[in-house]
Amino acid sequence: MQSIRDMKSNFIAPPSSSIPGGPDAYHQGNIRMTLEDPELWKSFHEIGTEMIITKPGRRMFPHCKINLSGLMPCSKYILLVDMVPVDGFRYKWNKEKWEVAGKAEPQPPCRTYLHPDSPAPGSHWIKQTVSFLKLKLTNNTLDQHGHIILHSMHRYHPRFHIVQADDMYSVRWSVFQTFTFPETSFTSVTAYQNTKITKLKIDHNPFAKGFRDEGTNTKRRANRNPACPEKKAKKIDCLSRESDEDSPPDIRRSSFEGYEGEQAELPKTKEEEVVKEERYSPWGPEREHGHHVRTDSPPGPDAREMYNAEQLVPAPASYQPYRFHEYGKSPSPSSSVGSSNGGSGRASFESRVSDVATVPEHEASKPSTHEIGPSPCGPQPPAGHHQDYTGVLNMTQAGKPGVLSHHIYTPYSAEQTLGQWSGPNPVQYPPPHHLPSDYSTPAVHHGYHHGNVAEWSQYPLFSYSCW
DNA sequence: TCTTCTCGCACGTTTGAATTGA
DNA sequence: ATCAATTCAAACGTGCGAGAAG
């Protein structure tokens, strides 16, 4: 399964009309990213993937695993993931199907998950599957652990960004490519709504093995709720009937039946899956509301163009104080979903703030660190070098406030600190309403040249990640 | 009344320290 | 003394289900 790819520079934000050069305009245009376990993802997607989000943070399942190729073995790359809203709606589960329940809530602080191995040479990313197992989702907008913050009952899809950069300092100056996989879109929930999803999760997630019917769970279940065994039996029976075996056709059919505004035709070719993912998605309603619904899942060339255009929106100023103010109290008019979606199909971005989230456990990257070690590409930084970056960036890491380092920003500005992501600094990060409203005009791309570092410091590191 | 969220629970997996043996 | 293999317990991840909250 290949992704939808978009490429642009982190600092160059030309209007969409200037895209035609596209990926070919860059030397890195041959980078290829494929999703691991596409069939598993599809089986979830066909039902309508749901991801649990909790206060302490919950891993994704299936978790994102990708394969990369086309990277330059000796060049270093940084790999990032963020979650973007699929549309501007809030959903509710009603009678075995998802329905639109109103406008989406203002977007929470946008965070970008930095793969713990980053930065690593291309050879490292290429030689093995890149896993985002440790990525966690939370609904706690005040999360201090660096987890990706989402709203419940909203639809998102992960975006993968690969940046050629020797270190975090140079990310801003680097060309990055963005990949999305239509089948990885999901609905964030605090409790599973679709029993078919529950069943699939239990069947495939080793951590949920205890809930499988053939396991010892029957004993536990009997003990758990002796008062109403019939209810439990009913549910189990329901689940077993829903998926006696892994039969995608059955699941697919039933799932489509379960969605409002379902699509009758399902594309079968892989190409169509890439470009017109919504056609096999159970998320039919998007079509119906397409006239004012933003989607990052382009159904065709036109939509694809829109998608690219979105990617090119320069970032708003990023700052912490306003994120909570806006989000929690009074979202700026321009950040409202309706206004942002209207016409341009562009979701709100002014209320979104780029942030970088990393896994707290640096141990996770240790093995790969050693693997990276002696590279045929010449001198490499000492083992653990790249971990320093993850550590430095992990400013929201609980219990380790000390890792909040300031030196990371010295290349940009003497005064600039990680406060850009984690702390207030209103002076450097003016409120969104100070920004030009028309981000498609070249005039706003005053950071195009690298001359003015101070100016650059006013933009989020990963400017493309949130809007 | 309904929907959504939170919390504690039991069970399984993972991980790393401690122990054992070669 | 060193190293590898094994054991074990704690930490972690999971869905369930009851109850709270709005």
Side-chain angles (χ1 to χ4, degrees):
Chain A
M1 184 71 190
Q2 189 163 13
S3 65
I4 295 172
R5 182 181 67 188
D6 180 37
M7 173 163 51
K8 68 171 181 134
S9 161
N10 193 21
F11 55 87
I12 299 175
S16 56
S17 58
S18 67
I19 288 242
D24 295 336
Y26 301 87
H27 293 298
Q28 303 165 299
N30 57 342
I31 293 178
R32 180 186 174 91
M33 182 184 289
T34 56
L35 181 68
E36 190 84 350
D37 292 332
E39 295 306 317
L40 180 60
W41 277 102
K42 280 182 190 176
S43 61
F44 277 93
H45 184 62
E46 286 162 357
I47 298 173
T49 311
E50 296 172 20
M51 294 289 179
I52 293 283
I53 58 175
T54 63
K55 292 269 182 184
R58 195 80 148 189
R59 288 184 182 182
M60 296 175 70
F61 187 86
H63 63 269
C64 299
K65 289 187 292 183
I66 58 168
N67 291 306
L68 282 163
S69 63
L71 303 181
M72 289 180 282
C74 300
S75 297
K76 284 191 172 181
Y77 295 88
I78 289 168
L79 210 51
L80 308 131
V81 175
D82 62 4
M83 299 290 169
V84 293
V86 168
D87 52 39
F89 291 124
R90 176 187 176 89
Y91 289 84
K92 66 175 178 181
W93 180 253
N94 186 26
K95 297 174 183 176
E96 300 301 310
K97 65 182 179 184
W98 286 102
E99 292 177 348
V100 172
K103 287 182 179 179
E105 296 178 35
Q107 288 307 312
C110 182
R111 284 178 171 170
T112 302
Y113 176 87
L114 174 70
H115 192 282
D117 286 358
S118 302
S123 57
H124 171 69
W125 299 118
I126 291 172
K127 71 181 178 185
Q128 63 196 8
T129 298
V130 181
S131 171
F132 293 90
L133 175 69
K134 307 282 185 176
L135 188 159
K136 284 188 176 181
L137 309 177
T138 182
N139 58 347
N140 183 9
T141 55
L142 302 178
D143 173 75
Q144 297 295 305
H145 297 83
H147 302 146
I148 291 181
I149 303 169
L150 304 177
H151 279 312
S152 182
M153 314 306 275
H154 287 60
R155 293 181 57 204
Y156 298 90
H157 75 77
R159 286 191 315 189
F160 302 86
H161 310 282
I162 184 159
V163 189
Q164 186 187 339
D166 286 341
D167 49 47
M168 293 307 298
Y169 304 147
S170 53
V171 167
R172 284 169 182 254
W173 288 266
S174 303
V175 173
F176 68 88
Q177 293 190 51
T178 299
F179 299 81
T180 61
F181 300 94
E183 64 269 46
T184 57
S185 64
F186 62 87
T187 306
S188 54
V189 296
T190 55
Y192 289 125
Q193 308 295 317
N194 190 343
T195 55
K196 295 167 189 167
I197 286 295
T198 307
K199 171 67 176 171
L200 260 185
K201 296 252 184 180
I202 291 173
D203 284 348
H204 292 90
N205 191 337
F207 283 105
K209 202 173 181 178
F211 300 101
R212 294 177 187 171
D213 289 341
E214 70 275 13
T216 56
N217 56 342
T218 52
K219 175 182 167 185
R220 176 200 160 200
R221 286 179 179 180
N223 292 338
R224 285 276 298 183
N225 192 3
C228 49
E230 68 285 349
K231 182 180 177 182
K232 191 163 293 179
K234 182 181 177 183
K235 184 158 193 171
I236 293 173
D237 180 53
C238 176
L239 289 176
S240 60
R241 272 189 285 109
E242 284 167 357
S243 55
D244 290 332
E245 74 288 335
D246 290 334
S247 57
D250 288 348
I251 292 173
R252 189 178 301 125
R253 184 179 61 251
S254 58
S255 66
F256 273 87
E257 287 169 354
Y259 285 90
E260 178 187 52
E262 66 189 60
Q263 299 292 311
E265 295 80 25
L266 308 181
K268 297 304 175 187
T269 67
K270 256 193 169 181
E271 259 182 294
E272 284 173 325
E273 287 170 355
V274 172
V275 183
K276 306 176 181 179
E277 45 116 4
E278 295 297 344
R279 296 233 176 141
Y280 70 78
S281 162
W283 295 100
E286 275 191 10
R287 282 293 166 278
E288 298 180 353
H289 305 286
H291 57 286
H292 65 297
V293 173
R294 167 185 179 266
T295 174
D296 280 332
S297 308
D302 292 341
R304 172 67 179 276
E305 191 176 343
M306 179 186 75
Y307 177 81
N308 286 338
E310 288 178 1
Q311 298 283 338
L312 293 165
V313 174
S318 174
Y319 55 97
Q320 196 80 353
Y322 291 92
R323 87 163 44 156
F324 295 114
H325 169 74
E326 264 195 281
Y327 177 65
K329 295 179 180 178
S330 57
S332 70
S334 57
S335 70
S336 68
V337 173
S339 62
S340 59
N341 281 344
S344 67
R346 194 175 290 161
S348 165
F349 60 87
E350 290 191 353
S351 65
R352 303 199 59 161
V353 180
S354 184
D355 200 350
V356 173
T358 61
V359 290
E361 51 288 316
H362 295 220
E363 302 79 17
S365 62
K366 280 180 181 175
S368 35
T369 299
H370 299 309
E371 291 170 11
I372 297 170
S375 164
C377 306
Q380 296 293 325
H385 174 74
H386 67 285
Q387 292 183 27
D388 292 341
Y389 293 101
T390 58
V392 166
L393 283 168
N394 197 11
M395 59 291 204
T396 57
Q397 187 170 338
K400 297 182 182 177
V403 293
L404 199 160
S405 171
H406 290 195
H407 69 265
I408 187 171
Y409 270 95
T410 46
Y412 303 130
S413 164
E415 293 88 11
Q416 190 170 2
T417 70
L418 281 173
Q420 176 177 356
W421 294 320
S422 63
N425 199 342
V427 174
Q428 290 182 343
Y429 308 107
H433 59 265
H434 290 165
L435 294 168
S437 56
D438 182 7
Y439 292 97
S440 63
T441 58
V444 302
H445 309 311
H446 51 289
Y448 185 91
H449 298 293
H450 304 169
N452 192 337
V453 173
E455 238 178 21
W456 269 99
S457 67
Q458 297 188 17
Y459 288 88
L461 178 60
F462 308 111
S463 58
Y464 48 85
S465 61
C466 313
W467 54 78

